[in-house]
Amino acid sequence: LKAKMIVDKDFRISEIDERIYGSFIEHLGRAVYGGLYEPDHPEADENGFRKDVIELVKQLDVPIVRYPGGNMVSGYNWEDGVGPREQRPRRLELAWRTIETNELGTNEFADWAKLVNSEVMMAVNLGTRGIDAARNLIEYCNHPGGTYYSDLRRKHGYEKPHNIKTWCLGNEMDGPWQIGHKTAEEYGRLALETAKAMKLVDNSIELVACGSSNTGMPTFPQYEATTLEHAYEAVDYISLHQYYGNKSNDPANYLAKTLDMEHFIKTIISTCDYVKAKKRSRKTINLSFDEWNVWYHSHDQDKQIEPWSIAPPQLEDVYNFEDALLVGSMLMTFLRHSDRVKIACMAQLINVIAPIMTETGGRAWKQTIFYPYAHVSAYGRGVALQPVVSSPKYDSKDFTDVPYLDTAAVYNEEKQEVTVFALNRHLQESLELHCDVRSFEDYQIVDHIVMEHDDLKAVNTADSQAVQPHHNGVSVLDDGIVEAKLPKASWNVIRLR
Ligand code: AHR
């Protein structure tokens, strides 16, 4: 099996916004309690943050973390999570039917985000609440002082404002499961009026309006169109969410699911630009893909969870090798659309559908999906290049003309490095890749990282890292041509300098 591609430094898609390597922490399951925060843990620092977890998050180099939800935000009173801990109320958390102790809230999360070198992407509650709570929260977070909410923050021990730049106007408001679910007309109006008030408090912020919860929603993509018809001039991004799974155990079809993601992104770009044309606007709305991942392994076990427990193990998907391949493919999809996708958040970061797992009281480790995320975050900074690709193709249950070679290329001008990311979707055969890199004169191959495994279902646990990359990829560069061998069902990172 053979594929060809050209990577040329002049075929530029866009400067990559590093926020596409964002992630997400929701007050859900053990993401916060038993995940990033566990005061009794031997690795906890003086604020109760687990240092072993911080170390793993830092390895992913996550520039922005969405918080505090998710479905949870649609019933959240942010005031419950600030001020003296002993006075914070315990609440019924309706989205996931647990008890929220509010031991950790906005200020502590902002502290934690600093420790992992991340910005906070804050979501406001547009389910049970609205304009008033949102404008108060932004005053609390971003106003320097001398007013009720900014002085309340100072009284709570935070003299300096958090200066949170990126805000989400609610979460998945198109979904009937959402607390305070809204039609597009209802949501569009509320998003506009909330956006106006928030920008009056701080006009340096950027706002993300909700779009469809996935491509299967009956209101996709009209929800986006109607929302933007109302809120176009007041918002900056539209949100996309998508999770995939392989319930039917059809790996060839599973690995092709990024074709659906591609279709999702293209449709939303068209929808934004249609509204732009209708409004004769000069402004362009960009995309915030602020929830994406594999999510299906834990669905059945989550049905067994007793309601009203504190931080139960919810959404604890154990990822296998094929999931890591799809995650790599999803990341490459963002790179190829980096002219419009400016933010993306892997959902989520710790324990809950996450690359990082912990035992409460015990160890922390890397799931399989940790690796492609770490690779693209590390080597996917700079300018995304448009590879010209010629690859053999296959048909699967839901998709036709699926290229065996899935790829993206990034040029880091500062470091004088170019990286080719490549997935071989063929499950039985290796792919001989012939890659023309003649525009990069005098470059050499410095690394060829490979993730491969004979068992697509192999997983990592606290005891074993059965699935992890090696650096023994087979590739040579001669006369401006890279000849690389991409093993069957493999994730590859070929770095040139
Ligand atoms: O990430 C898990 C959940 O998925 C989020 O709370 C919600 O926004 C989405 O449906």
Side-chain angles (χ1 to χ4, degrees):
L1 208 66
K2 288 194 165 103
K4 283 202 293 197
M5 68 190 277
I6 304 169
V7 177
D8 189 297
K9 60 164 73 140
D10 291 331
F11 301 172
R12 297 163 84 97
I13 300 171
S14 169
E15 195 68 51
I16 296 158
D17 192 319
E18 62 167 21
R19 293 175 300 172
I20 66 169
Y21 306 122
S23 190
F24 174 31
I25 288 282
E26 178 166 3
H27 278 252
L28 157 55
R30 299 190 307 121
V32 173
Y33 310 111
L36 67 92
Y37 176 78
E38 202 185 326
D40 298 334
H41 193 278
E43 290 272 348
D45 70 7
E46 64 284 6
N47 295 311
F49 299 132
R50 278 181 67 160
K51 287 184 282 190
D52 54 344
V53 173
I54 289 173
E55 170 51 32
L56 289 172
V57 176
K58 278 186 168 169
Q59 286 182 31
L60 289 171
D61 200 354
V62 182
I64 191 163
V65 186
R66 186 167 172 254
Y67 174 85
N71 295 335
M72 173 270 187
V73 81
S74 295
Y76 183 52
N77 297 341
W78 66 266
E79 301 87 337
D80 292 347
V82 296
R85 273 213 171 96
E86 60 286 359
Q87 287 168 27
R88 296 186 192 174
R90 287 158 72 101
R91 297 266 190 202
L92 291 183
E93 198 294 287
L94 300 185
W96 304 101
R97 308 196 72 224
T98 55
I99 286 178
E100 172 57 56
T101 62
N102 286 303
E103 250 178 279
L104 185 134
T106 301
N107 293 319
E108 295 86 19
F109 188 73
D111 287 340
W112 182 80
K114 268 203 202 108
L115 294 175
V116 296
N117 307 319
S118 287
E119 304 254 311
V120 178
M121 178 180 188
M122 185 71 84
V124 301
N125 174 355
L126 293 189
T128 59
R129 306 188 86 186
I131 305 169
D132 200 38
R135 63 137 177 187
N136 295 343
L137 176 58
I138 189 168
E139 180 185 323
Y140 183 93
C141 289
N142 286 11
H143 197 71
T147 64
Y148 180 80
Y149 283 105
S150 56
D151 285 345
L152 188 61
R153 181 199 67 239
R154 293 167 68 203
K155 202 174 122 197
H156 291 160
Y158 291 81
E159 181 58 33
K160 292 237 167 70
H162 298 307
N163 277 328
I164 294 169
K165 289 291 161 227
T166 317
W167 294 74
C168 303
L169 295 161
N171 177 70
E172 296 190 346
M173 299 311 301
D174 65 321
W177 60 86
Q178 202 67 212
I179 302 165
H181 164 224
K182 289 175 177 59
T183 66
E185 289 287 346
E186 290 166 344
Y187 174 66
R189 287 282 307 130
L190 181 59
L192 170 64
E193 295 305 324
T194 309
K196 276 164 51 188
M198 290 176 73
K199 284 192 172 172
L200 284 170
V201 177
D202 179 355
N203 66 10
S204 71
I205 59 167
E206 292 196 316
L207 290 170
V208 184
C210 294
S212 295
S213 298
N214 56 69
T215 45
M217 298 300 291
T219 48
F220 161 78
Q222 186 59 50
Y223 203 91
E224 286 85 341
T226 305
T227 295
L228 289 176
E229 275 169 16
H230 288 292
Y232 197 91
E233 293 301 337
V235 305
D236 305 281
Y237 306 90
I238 190 94
S239 156
L240 295 81
H241 290 180
Q242 187 73 53
Y243 296 97
Y244 293 116
N246 186 15
K247 209 167 175 168
S248 56
N249 192 15
D250 178 349
N253 193 54
Y254 181 53
L255 294 181
K257 289 198 180 184
T258 34
L259 272 66
D260 175 72
M261 193 174 196
E262 192 90 39
H263 152 76
F264 191 5
I265 291 172
K266 285 184 181 159
T267 306
I268 299 308
I269 292 172
S270 314
T271 307
C272 292
D273 294 349
Y274 158 75
V275 181
K276 176 179 184 173
K278 252 183 110 172
K279 290 193 172 282
R280 276 82 178 141
S281 177
R282 300 176 71 137
K283 173 177 171 183
T284 299
I285 299 285
N286 284 319
L287 278 55
S288 171
F289 214 121
D290 43 43
E291 283 188 34
W292 68 270
N293 204 348
V294 171
W295 176 15
Y296 77 105
H297 297 286
S298 59
H299 284 338
D300 289 338
Q301 93 203 24
D302 280 352
K303 291 182 193 135
Q304 319 295 323
I305 290 172
E306 281 294 310
W308 317 131
S309 49
I310 297 172
Q314 283 170 308
L315 280 64
E316 296 202 357
D317 273 44
V318 175
Y319 292 114
N320 60 30
F321 171 57
E322 67 184 11
D323 299 330
L325 298 178
L326 187 71
V327 160
S329 181
M330 292 174 97
L331 286 158
M332 291 192 290
T333 310
F334 298 140
L335 287 175
R336 290 191 302 266
H337 289 286
S338 52
D339 53 333
R340 294 300 289 273
V341 178
K342 298 294 177 189
I343 304 171
C345 304
M346 178 188 264
Q348 298 189 12
L349 186 56
I350 305 162
N351 289 330
V352 174
I353 42 174
I356 297 168
M357 290 301 284
T358 71
E359 293 164 328
T360 301
R363 297 166 289 180
W365 67 97
K366 299 172 183 177
Q367 295 235 57
T368 62
I369 62 169
F370 182 98
Y371 294 103
Y373 183 15
H375 293 152
V376 185
S377 177
Y379 306 120
R381 311 229 178 183
V383 175
L385 300 177
Q386 182 67 64
V388 182
V389 180
S390 153
S391 166
K393 295 179 174 161
Y394 67 99
D395 292 344
S396 71
K397 185 173 135 283
D398 300 319
F399 304 96
T400 45
D401 288 336
V402 184
Y404 282 112
L405 173 65
D406 187 16
T407 184
V410 173
Y411 178 31
N412 189 325
E413 282 169 298
E414 213 177 289
K415 293 191 174 158
Q416 294 288 301
E417 269 190 28
V418 56
T419 302
V420 175
F421 300 100
L423 165 69
N424 175 9
R425 288 188 173 108
H426 203 295
L427 301 175
Q428 286 86 31
E429 285 180 41
S430 61
L431 190 61
E432 305 298 330
L433 173 64
H434 175 100
C435 179
D436 178 339
V437 292
R438 281 176 297 175
S439 70
F440 295 97
E441 273 173 48
D442 301 326
Y443 276 57
Q444 305 295 324
I445 296 172
V446 292
D447 202 359
H448 178 172
I449 307 170
V450 184
M451 276 184 85
E452 57 183 325
H453 204 286
D454 277 337
D455 181 5
L456 289 171
K457 311 297 179 194
V459 300
N460 292 344
T461 64
D463 295 311
S464 113
Q465 287 281 299
V467 184
Q468 54 173 312
H470 66 74
H471 294 263
N472 303 323
V474 178
S475 48
V476 288
L477 170 55
D478 205 8
D479 258 354
I481 306 291
V482 175
E483 301 283 356
K485 182 179 169 209
L486 314 183
K488 66 173 184 184
S490 67
W491 163 251
N492 299 263
V493 182
I494 303 172
R495 297 176 51 218
L496 314 179
R497 188 162 52 212

